[in-house]
Amino acid sequence: KIVVLDGYTLNPGDLSWERLEKIGECAIYDRSPKDEVISRIGDASIVFTNKTPLTAEIFAACPNIRYVGVLATGYNVVDTVAAKEHGITVTNIPTYGTASVAQFTFALLLEVCHHVGAHDKAVKQGRWQESGDFCFWDYPLIELAGKKMGIIGFGRIGQAVAKIAIAFGMDVLAYDHYADKSLENEHTTIVELDELLAQSDVVSLHCPLFPETEGIINAAALDKMKSSAILINTSRGPLIVEEDLAAALNAGKLHGAAVDVVSTEPVTEENPLFTAKNCLITPHIAWAPIEARQRLLDIAIDNVEAFLEG
Ligand code: NAD
């Protein structure tokens, strides 16, 4: 018996659950309210979750669970200590979205550089290079060739972003806690964080959220950056102290920012970035092209098959 607690984000209807349905008797829910999780799992032995928390209480109440498949890279929704105590195998999916997130990082960066959406809106309002609430000349376009791309966290996504940056004619400065000098090349230099912040025209965050990376972009870090710099975050919201970033943007100490992730999701109007100057916010969708979601589903099913085969 297989239960998918919150399949909607992964599969809003454009993918097929057929392969999973061949493995066992499936109950697939779009979302599961907290108070219905235990009854929905019942005596199932395989449970999939994306964002629905699986706690010690749930594992104790559903003793048949043998396997939990997390339909995401981050698996902090599962109490893994409790899962281990109950002999439950937990798997996550770390690699499915590397190309998608790297591409989205550039979608955000190019939007900050070109304001394509705002120009489109102005044109459809009958304005062609004219003033209005969005004035052409108030938002100069920015060329990336010859500029420096600072990448914090030089893992899978960071390295994929570097390849795109180099194709755009940029040079890459990379900082990683576990710096691997063998990743250096003609256009890529591994540097310390302070040097990256001081020299980069674009700073893009690709490290995981750990206690030591929380708030890595704070007022002190922002003070080290160029006032012409652009900050991009497709990693995790709490890497940035949002009050400090909003203050820097509003004071003109930074050119612009674009974030796919915020400290509390969904974002509310209380978030200081909501009204900050030249700050774009997208709803944590960097991972979500259909190709990446299909890959995620395929790997999730490969994993459960491998588990069942022992
Ligand atoms: P990865 O593990 O391949 O790379 C992370 C890199 O960060 C590693 O090289 C690691 O050494 C480095 N790192 C660890 N601690 C560090 C520190 N203190 N300072 C600097 N670097 C440090 O992970 P990945 O696949 O490249 O994913 C990166 C992040 O992207 C994930 O942690 C996740 O938060 C985020 N992500 C976001 C989305 C989205 O939809 N927006 C989707 C997938 C992943």
Side-chain angles (χ1 to χ4, degrees), residues 164-182:
I164 304 174
I166 292 167
F168 268 77
M170 303 179 83
D171 281 317
V172 170
L173 300 176
Y175 165 72
D176 195 292
H177 196 57
Y178 307 96
D180 179 356
K181 282 270 180 192
S182 72

Side-chain angles (χ1 to χ4, degrees), residues 134-202:
F134 180 80
C135 174
F136 180 71
W137 298 115
D138 287 346
Y139 294 86
L141 309 184
I142 296 168
E143 187 177 85
L144 291 171
K147 301 244 163 64
K148 286 198 169 63
M149 177 72 155
I151 297 177
I152 299 179
F154 207 43
R156 283 178 289 256
I157 297 172
Q159 290 171 47
V161 167
K163 279 190 190 146
I164 304 174
I166 292 167
F168 268 77
M170 303 179 83
D171 281 317
V172 170
L173 300 176
Y175 165 72
D176 195 292
H177 196 57
Y178 307 96
D180 179 356
K181 282 270 180 192
S182 72
L183 294 172
E184 287 194 327
N185 59 40
E186 191 191 344
H187 294 291
T188 306
T189 315
I190 308 277
V191 294
E192 288 304 320
L193 182 58
D194 280 357
E195 188 181 344
L196 181 151
L197 293 169
Q199 305 230 348
S200 298
D201 300 291
V202 180

Side-chain angles (χ1 to χ4, degrees), residues 73-74 94-98 101 104 152-159 175-179 205-210 212-213 216 233-236 239 260-261 284-288:
T73 304
T95 53
Y96 73 93
T98 303
V101 180
F104 198 82
I152 299 179
F154 207 43
R156 283 178 289 256
I157 297 172
Q159 290 171 47
Y175 165 72
D176 195 292
H177 196 57
Y178 307 96
L205 298 175
H206 300 289
C207 56
L209 176 62
F210 290 146
E212 63 270 27
T213 55
I216 193 167
N233 187 10
T234 55
S235 194
R236 283 293 178 266
L239 296 175
D260 185 47
V261 284
H284 202 150
I285 49 164
W287 67 283

Side-chain angles (χ1 to χ4, degrees), residues 6-306:
D6 50 2
Y8 181 76
T9 328
L10 168 64
N11 182 8
D14 52 1
L15 303 178
S16 167
W17 293 107
E18 203 182 331
R19 217 185 120 203
L20 188 67
E21 283 162 342
K22 283 187 184 149
I23 295 176
E25 182 190 330
C26 287
I28 297 168
Y29 298 98
D30 281 352
R31 296 180 185 84
S32 289
K34 213 171 158 188
D35 55 355
E36 288 187 34
V37 172
I38 290 175
S39 62
R40 285 186 175 182
I41 295 176
D43 60 354
S45 53
I46 293 171
V47 178
F48 283 100
T49 179
N50 172 249
K51 290 205 165 60
T52 306
L54 290 174
T55 59
E57 185 200 350
I58 294 168
F59 294 138
C62 305
N64 275 13
I65 303 177
R66 300 268 54 90
Y67 176 91
V68 168
V70 183
L71 298 167
T73 304
Y75 51 88
N76 50 311
V77 292
V78 180
D79 183 336
T80 48
V81 175
K84 197 170 181 185
E85 279 167 14
H86 287 269
I88 297 167
T89 298
V90 180
T91 60
N92 67 324
I93 302 167
T95 53
Y96 73 93
T98 303
S100 290
V101 180
Q103 179 179 317
F104 198 82
T105 300
F106 261 80
L108 290 177
L109 175 56
L110 293 175
E111 186 61 29
V112 176
C113 292
H114 301 293
H115 309 281
V116 172
H119 285 296
D120 172 64
K121 198 169 150 203
V123 167
K124 304 221 170 121
Q125 285 168 347
R127 293 183 284 121
W128 188 270
Q129 296 190 4
E130 287 169 15
S131 59
D133 59 355
F134 180 80
C135 174
F136 180 71
W137 298 115
D138 287 346
Y139 294 86
L141 309 184
I142 296 168
E143 187 177 85
L144 291 171
K147 301 244 163 64
K148 286 198 169 63
M149 177 72 155
I151 297 177
I152 299 179
F154 207 43
R156 283 178 289 256
I157 297 172
Q159 290 171 47
V161 167
K163 279 190 190 146
I164 304 174
I166 292 167
F168 268 77
M170 303 179 83
D171 281 317
V172 170
L173 300 176
Y175 165 72
D176 195 292
H177 196 57
Y178 307 96
D180 179 356
K181 282 270 180 192
S182 72
L183 294 172
E184 287 194 327
N185 59 40
E186 191 191 344
H187 294 291
T188 306
T189 315
I190 308 277
V191 294
E192 288 304 320
L193 182 58
D194 280 357
E195 188 181 344
L196 181 151
L197 293 169
Q199 305 230 348
S200 298
D201 300 291
V202 180
V203 172
S204 193
L205 298 175
H206 300 289
C207 56
L209 176 62
F210 290 146
E212 63 270 27
T213 55
E214 185 168 352
I216 193 167
I217 299 298
N218 54 17
L222 290 158
D223 276 346
K224 290 174 188 146
M225 289 171 64
K226 296 181 180 181
S227 58
S228 57
I230 296 166
L231 178 69
I232 308 289
N233 187 10
T234 55
S235 194
R236 283 293 178 266
L239 296 175
I240 294 176
V241 179
E242 290 165 336
E243 295 74 21
D244 294 355
L245 174 58
L249 287 165
N250 292 334
K253 285 188 185 170
L254 198 69
H255 174 76
V259 299
D260 185 47
V261 284
V262 287
S263 55
T264 304
E265 298 176 6
V267 72
T268 65
E269 286 184 33
E270 280 71 51
N271 187 311
L273 296 181
F274 206 82
T275 47
K277 208 174 140 195
N278 210 8
C279 182
L280 300 173
I281 306 174
T282 50
H284 202 150
I285 49 164
W287 67 283
I290 188 166
E291 294 84 353
R293 288 183 291 110
Q294 181 69 64
R295 212 173 288 125
L296 197 157
L297 185 58
D298 290 344
I299 298 170
I301 298 170
D302 290 348
N303 283 347
V304 80
E305 282 178 350

